[in-house]
Amino acid sequence: MTVNTPDRPETARSGTPGRQPALPEAPPQRRQQGPSPEKGEFVRPLTRRQIDDRMRELGELYTNTSSHQVRASDVSGQDRSAAFRRRLAGHMRRPGFELLVAETAGPSGTIGLTACAYGFPVRGDGPWWDGLDGWYLPESLLRVAAFGRLFAIADILVERRVRTQDQSREWNLARRLQKRLLSDHAAELGVTLVDRDNADKLEALLSWGWRSLSAEAREASPLAPSRLLVLR
């Protein structure tokens, strides 16, 4: 007589009673990577018409990124935005003016403005920029301006994270913007002015590669309300 018995499951190898076979380890999960910092924001210039169309948006960016501490007695954000837009409109009339914006796509696919920077060439024969006149510049910079290789960066508007994170990296957004402005105009040097009481902005600019001028330049304007910085 033949007896059919069910197969017995293997529970252990010979010589190791009661020991379960080892299961293969699950592969480590990879951390999801975001876009490269070099490509996190798309940088492009705006035409004058495009600037006019987005002037209010640029004003809002200014109020959201301005490093000045606003006291209770200061003007409102709306007034500060309006003042910025007036300055920008005046700078747009300068020959060679250029404004760059940085944009990024949000979760819904909408394109948002994250930063901007703008400026214009400084010529040896003027006209000069607000507060940046002939007596303000040392002879060395006047020579660079005479050859059309000096570019004034009037403002760099970036979020707080750009001011505090990876400031020395070449892909830092502020560094990308200022480098693009200089390269677009084949400028040898960049110059900018910083209010002496705006320590936050001064610290950020120094971290992005800007430097104070030599003793020759400081002696040229010891009582000037602004500091003159240079970018090579």
Side-chain angles (χ1 to χ4, degrees), residues 11 13 17 24 59 65 81 86 166 187 192 228:
T11 57
R13 293 186 179 180
T65 60
S81 172
R86 286 194 297 270
D166 302 312
T192 195
L228 180 63

Side-chain angles (χ1 to χ4, degrees), residues 64-114:
N64 292 334
T65 60
S66 176
S67 62
H68 252 319
Q69 298 295 326
V70 180
R71 300 184 300 272
S73 59
D74 285 339
V75 295
S76 66
Q78 185 176 0
D79 290 338
R80 294 169 62 233
S81 172
F84 166 77
R85 286 181 275 138
R86 286 194 297 270
R87 290 197 305 272
L88 177 56
H91 288 151
M92 287 172 61
R93 294 193 288 268
R94 297 293 299 257
F97 172 88
E98 181 178 4
L99 183 143
L100 299 174
V101 295
E103 298 169 314
T104 186
S108 63
T110 57
I111 302 299
L113 181 66
T114 60

Side-chain angles (χ1 to χ4, degrees), residues 121-134:
V122 176
R123 307 299 181 187
D125 55 353
W128 301 99
W129 176 25
D130 307 334
L132 181 64
D133 48 28

Side-chain angles (χ1 to χ4, degrees), residues 172-186:
N172 176 278
L173 183 56
R175 285 179 173 263
R176 289 175 59 199
L177 290 166
Q178 63 193 26
K179 182 179 180 180
R180 171 74 178 271
L181 284 174
L182 297 188
S183 62
D184 282 355
H185 295 266

